[in-house]
């Protein structure tokens, strides 16, 4: 078996840690980069450096931004009384791309997943509860993925929000079970937003 030089091997290992990238794909990426002109490699390195140095989390909603608060949190034309809770910034962008939603967002930073050691303490749940109380939120839309972890997260949030007496809604069931918001087409996602319904107490009891 051919042993790659250490720099190649190390970069392959780094690429293989990325979501959806297996070792063979990582090898192809690295070997392809080795064929590129030096200026292209330098541009990639510079982009990664800028990403690390200039991108931060919004102090309000938690999404990625160059300046905090982010553009959406600064926009006074948005509906200040409606908050859409998503797991990731990618989900936020997916909903924003529909043009259907005009409120603001809260990015949890993931979903509950005990197997991977992700509990409420690892998510931005405390910040969410603080926002609901301080920002006079009238409707909170839970927009986590319609899979086991997303549903569990939605039910947990519903329980935590009960004492705050805020209207809690869930995206309509037009979304296929197990699908990712990030990859859902805009029409389906738009209809899910428009058709959202209130979460009922018996949903938690039956789960």
């Amino acid at each position: 078996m051919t042993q790659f030089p250490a720099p190649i091997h190390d970069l392959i290992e780094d690429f293989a840690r990325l979501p959806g990238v297996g070792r063979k794909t990582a090898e192809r990426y690295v070997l392809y980069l080795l064929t590129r002109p030096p200026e292209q490699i330098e541009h990639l390195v510079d982009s990664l450096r800028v990403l690390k140095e200039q991108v931060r989390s919004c102090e309000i909603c938690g999404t990625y931004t160059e300046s905090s608060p982010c553009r959406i949190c600064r926009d006074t034309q948005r509906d200040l009384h409606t908050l859409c809770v998503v797991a990731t910034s990618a989900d936020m962008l997916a909903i924003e791309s529909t043009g259907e939603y005009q409120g603001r967002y809260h990015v949890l930073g993931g979903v509950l997943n005990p197997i991977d050691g992700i509990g409420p303490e690892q998510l931005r749940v405390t910040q969410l509860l603080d926002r609901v109380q301080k920002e006079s939120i009238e409707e909170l839309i839970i927009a986590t993925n319609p899979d086991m972890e997303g549903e569990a997260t939605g039910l947990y949030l519903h329980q935590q929000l009960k004492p705050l007496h805020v209207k809690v809604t869930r995206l309509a069931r037009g979304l296929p079970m197990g699908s990712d918001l990030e990859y859902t087409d805009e029409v389906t996602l738009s209809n899910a937003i428009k058709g959202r319904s209130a979460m009922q107490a018996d949903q938690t009891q039956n789960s």
Side-chain angles (χ1 to χ4, degrees), residues 137-155:
I137 300 300
E138 297 175 0
E139 180 185 2
L140 189 142
I141 305 168
I142 295 178
T144 50
N145 287 334
D147 54 19
M148 185 179 299
E149 292 80 8
E151 293 296 319
T153 302
L155 291 174

Side-chain angles (χ1 to χ4, degrees), residues 13-186:
E13 293 298 317
D14 288 337
F15 274 120
R17 294 188 184 98
L18 296 175
V21 179
R23 185 173 178 81
K24 288 296 183 182
T25 300
E27 288 181 5
R28 287 198 294 272
Y29 287 166
V30 175
L31 295 177
Y32 172 78
L33 288 174
L34 288 170
T35 68
R36 298 295 87 199
E39 58 270 20
Q40 288 189 17
I41 304 300
E42 291 170 5
H43 184 270
L44 176 60
V45 172
D46 287 341
S47 295
L48 291 172
R49 178 183 53 77
V50 170
L51 180 72
K52 179 66 176 177
E53 293 177 354
Q54 298 185 15
V55 176
R56 66 192 74 178
S57 295
C58 174
E59 62 196 71
I60 298 177
C61 72
T63 194
Y64 297 122
T65 181
E66 289 185 83
S67 59
S68 184
C70 69
R71 175 185 58 81
I72 290 178
C73 288
R74 294 196 309 268
D75 188 351
T76 57
Q77 301 303 310
R78 308 282 299 205
D79 179 356
L80 303 182
H81 303 295
T82 306
L83 199 60
C84 182
V85 181
V86 295
T88 68
S89 292
D91 294 338
M92 171 180 162
L93 292 176
I95 292 176
E96 192 67 7
S97 70
T98 67
E100 187 64 40
Y101 177 69
Q102 297 301 319
R104 293 193 290 176
Y105 296 90
H106 186 86
V107 181
L108 291 172
V111 290
L112 296 175
N113 191 332
I115 295 177
D116 291 338
I118 302 176
E121 299 78 13
Q122 283 70 51
L123 304 178
R124 300 181 67 254
V125 175
T126 300
Q127 294 91 327
L128 172 62
L129 300 179
D130 287 343
R131 290 187 68 185
V132 171
Q133 296 179 80
K134 294 177 181 178
E135 299 179 17
S136 301
I137 300 300
E138 297 175 0
E139 180 185 2
L140 189 142
I141 305 168
I142 295 178
T144 50
N145 287 334
D147 54 19
M148 185 179 299
E149 292 80 8
E151 293 296 319
T153 302
L155 291 174
Y156 173 80
L157 293 178
H158 187 215
Q159 291 175 330
Q160 298 302 306
L161 290 161
K162 279 182 181 178
L164 303 182
H165 305 292
V166 61
K167 179 182 178 182
V168 180
T169 58
R170 192 78 164 97
L171 295 185
R173 295 302 179 182
L175 293 172
M177 188 63 182
S179 63
D180 290 342
L181 297 186
E182 179 182 357
Y183 303 114
T184 302
D185 67 271
E186 293 181 7

